[in-house]
Structures are given as C-alpha cells and as structure tokens.
Amino acid sequence: MNTGTRAPGDTDDGATRGATRGGDTDDGTAGKRPGPPARVPRPRPPAGRLPFPAVVAGLLLALAAACLASLALGSVRVPPGQVLDALTGRAGPSPYRTIVLDVRLPRVLLGVVVGAGLAVVGAVLQALVRNRLADPFLLGISSGASAGAVLVLVVGVGGGITTTLALPAGAFAGALVALVLVYGLARRGGTMTGPRLVLAGVAVSYILSALTTLILAAAGRPEHFREALYWSLGGLGSARWDTLVLPAAVLTLGLGVLLALARPLDLLLVGEEDATVLGLDTARFRAAVFVLVSLVTAVMVAASGAVGFIGLMAPHAARLAVGAPHRRLLPVAALGGAVALVLADLGARTVTAPQDLPVGVLTALIGGPFFLWLMRRRPEGAPL
C-alpha cells in the first residue's frame, strides 16, 4: 500500500514529470531562495493574424489612396495637383474645383460611410445568427428597405421631408419587417441552420422585390421606375452634401454602440447556452441589436440603394487579418468596407464612362463568386 513516503534515493519518473508540469505535486523549490519573478511574455497575435495597429494604419492609407484616385479619375480626369489644391482651399474658381468639391467629394464620402455601415452590419449579423454567410443583402434586409423606400416615394410625403425623414423611416420599417420574416422562417423548433437561413433570406428578398414591382405598377407613374431601378441596383450618383449628414450620424452612433456591445457579441459566438450561463439575456439582446442593425441598414439603403455583398466580404477579410473579437473586428471591417465600396464606385464610373454603371452590379460580380467560394470551402456536413 502506498503510504505517501519515499525512501532516500528513490526516484519516480512519474512524480518528476508531474512536478515539471506544475501540477499538484511539489515543484522542487521548497527550501530554496526565491529567484526573480518570471517575465511574462508579451502576447502575440495568433498564427495568421496581424497586429491590430498595423492593419488599421494600412487600411487608412489604402482608404486615403482610394479616395484620392476616385477624386482624380472618371469621365473627366483631374490632375493630382488640382485635386490637392481643391482639397486644401488653394484652388480658385475653376471647373476642376467644382468637379472635385461639388460632384466627386460628396460621392466619395458617401461611399466611405455606406461601405463602412454595410460591413459593420454584416459582421454583427453574422454574430447574431452565428452564420458566416449572413449579410444584409442575402438576408433580404436590403430588399425590405428598398420596398419601404419605394412605397414612400409612390405615396409621397412632400418635398424635403420625403428625402430627409420619411424615406429613411420607410426603409427602416421595410428592413425590420424583412429581418423578422427571415428570422422567423429560418428558426424551427428552437434551432436555426445555415442553409435554412440563406433560403429564407433569398425567398423573402424575391417576395419583397416582387412587391416593389407591384407597388410601382399599381401606381401607374412611369417616372418612379427609374428611381426603383436605382434602389434595386445601388448607386452613389445622387450624393450631395446635404444627404451625407444622416448616414454619417447614424454610422457614428451605431458603430459606437456596437463597440460598447463587443463583449456580448463575442459571447454569442461561443453558443447560446454558454452565453446564457455567463449572464447574457440572449433573446432580449438579439432583439435590441436587430433593431439597431435594421436602422443602420435602412439609412444606408435610403442613401445609396441596395448595394450587395459588401457586408459579406469585408467581415471575412477582417477576420483573416485580426481574428473574431468584435472590438477589433468592427473597426477593421468598417475600414475594409469603405475601401471596397470606394474602389467599386470608381470602377463603376470608369468602366463605361461617361455613363455610370450601378455600383451594385460590380459588387455582385465580385461578391457572387466569393459567396460560392465560401460555400465550397466548407467541409461536407460542416455547419455554415
């Protein structure tokens, strides 16, 4: 019987291994003078991850370069010196100054705001439904916002009120209805699978698109068809200085709130039961954040139309760079989405110049294959 004593000179390799592992055995330091405290190694990014400050700095430089290129290039090329003079106020009245400050700069800034907003919404939706394929376009939220905005246009509320308040309000109502429908259809028996979520989003998107067409046909006013096409394909051509205020304010407020909610969003990634055990009221939290992301999506769609796949691609690229924690993911996704949409709009203005191609066409041409790649790269039977 083992009494716990050991004869002098008796050695036990198992005990030695236990001590070296720092378990519940003696570590062999009894009776010795304590040495200097061990130096705690500086935490390093996980394998395949980049330092957060370096990623942010690189994206800021890329965004600045994309904005300058978008200001200089187009159907009329503006020399870089003239662009800088217009931005710094050194340029006198000239056609170049008018093009840069009154035409292209509001469009570029709207692209930054909308791209960042859609990317942030996509990242948050992917956490809320625990599905990396979630996106405001794929889940039908953008189609719902478009339907609500078109309904406001057809009914007509009046002048500036329509553009500043009623249009985003109608888009918000449509986006919220679409989100509730998709979430309700995809959730069965308390569970929600990736394929069911995607199918529900596609179905709701088609239904709302058909409803939009029905509203326009019943209205009998052909002038509304052009604006409906704008919302269905997306574009930044209507950007003006007065249309920037509301999207920029909503993005700033929404991103600030979501950054404050980064820890609960991280808890959702570990599973609903674990998040509940850790003290998170998942049902109430999801409902509140769903309303917030619907509001952000609605304002972005009211300003630019339904631009697809930015909210799918930017969060994935951000996770590859800095990982899944939302305190890092959301700012990187916002910058990545801004860069992507500014470059896409630059392509839309130059590919078919002097005609503008809807920016949603380019994002769909890139985002569609990206979506298929995400589907194929997952192992057979793995959750989406």
Side-chain angles (χ1 to χ4, degrees):
M1 182 176 63
N2 186 8
T3 61
T5 61
R6 197 173 302 279
D10 185 13
T11 60
D12 187 345
D13 292 339
T16 304
R17 288 193 299 268
T20 57
R21 285 195 303 265
D24 56 357
T25 59
D26 187 7
D27 59 3
T29 60
K32 296 183 180 180
R33 297 180 59 185
R39 179 178 298 177
V40 178
R42 180 178 297 179
R44 297 180 179 179
R49 303 291 186 259
L50 300 174
F52 178 69
V55 173
V56 172
L59 286 174
L60 287 175
L61 289 176
L63 181 59
C67 291
L68 289 176
S70 189
L71 292 174
L73 301 177
S75 57
V76 176
R77 292 179 178 264
V78 180
Q82 294 286 342
V83 173
L84 295 177
D85 289 343
L87 293 177
T88 56
R90 293 180 297 180
S94 67
Y96 286 152
R97 183 178 183 276
T98 302
I99 291 174
V100 171
L101 295 184
D102 296 336
V103 178
R104 292 184 181 173
L105 186 57
R107 182 168 181 159
V108 169
L109 294 179
L110 183 61
V112 171
V113 172
V114 172
L118 293 177
V120 168
V121 168
V124 173
L125 283 175
Q126 290 165 16
L128 289 177
V129 301
R130 297 187 63 206
N131 189 300
R132 297 280 176 94
L133 299 180
D135 166 79
F137 185 78
L138 292 174
L139 295 186
I141 303 175
S142 296
S143 297
S146 298
V150 168
L151 182 60
V152 169
L153 285 173
V154 171
V155 174
V157 179
I161 298 178
T162 299
T163 57
T164 57
L165 294 178
L167 199 61
F172 171 65
L176 193 59
V177 169
L179 186 60
V180 171
L181 285 175
V182 172
Y183 191 76
L185 291 173
R187 193 174 182 86
R188 179 186 300 174
T191 61
M192 179 171 52
T193 63
R196 191 183 300 159
L197 181 72
V198 174
L199 290 175
V202 171
V204 170
S205 180
Y206 273 113
I207 292 172
L208 292 174
S209 297
L211 180 61
T212 301
T213 304
L214 179 62
I215 293 172
L216 292 169
R221 300 175 64 180
E223 64 271 16
H224 289 309
F225 278 96
R226 185 168 64 89
E227 296 198 47
L229 181 64
Y230 168 80
W231 262 286
S232 64
L233 299 178
L236 305 176
S238 65
R240 301 187 310 274
W241 285 109
D242 58 341
T243 61
L244 282 173
V245 178
L246 183 61
V250 170
L251 172 64
T252 303
L253 179 62
L255 181 57
V257 172
L258 291 171
L259 284 174
L261 298 176
R263 184 178 179 276
L265 289 172
D266 291 339
L267 290 179
L268 287 179
L269 296 179
V270 303
E272 188 164 346
E273 294 183 359
D274 293 336
T276 303
V277 170
L278 293 172
L280 179 65
D281 187 345
T282 55
R284 182 176 298 179
F285 177 75
R286 274 200 176 99
V289 179
F290 273 145
V291 172
L292 178 59
V293 297
S294 297
L295 175 62
V296 176
T297 303
V299 173
M300 301 304 144
V301 170
S304 67
V307 180
F309 295 102
I310 295 293
L312 177 69
M313 296 184 291
H316 279 276
R319 285 191 191 90
L320 292 176
V322 297
H326 286 82
R327 192 170 295 277
R328 296 186 173 198
L329 175 65
L330 293 181
V332 172
L335 290 173
V339 173
L341 190 54
V342 169
L343 291 177
D345 183 61
L346 175 59
R349 290 191 292 109
T350 56
V351 169
T352 59
Q355 299 295 325
D356 277 5
L357 187 69
V359 68
V361 173
L362 286 185
T363 59
L365 287 175
I366 300 173
F370 182 82
F371 177 78
L372 296 176
W373 174 76
L374 285 179
M375 296 284 290
R376 288 185 57 85
R377 71 187 291 262
R378 294 181 178 273
E380 184 70 23
L384 287 175

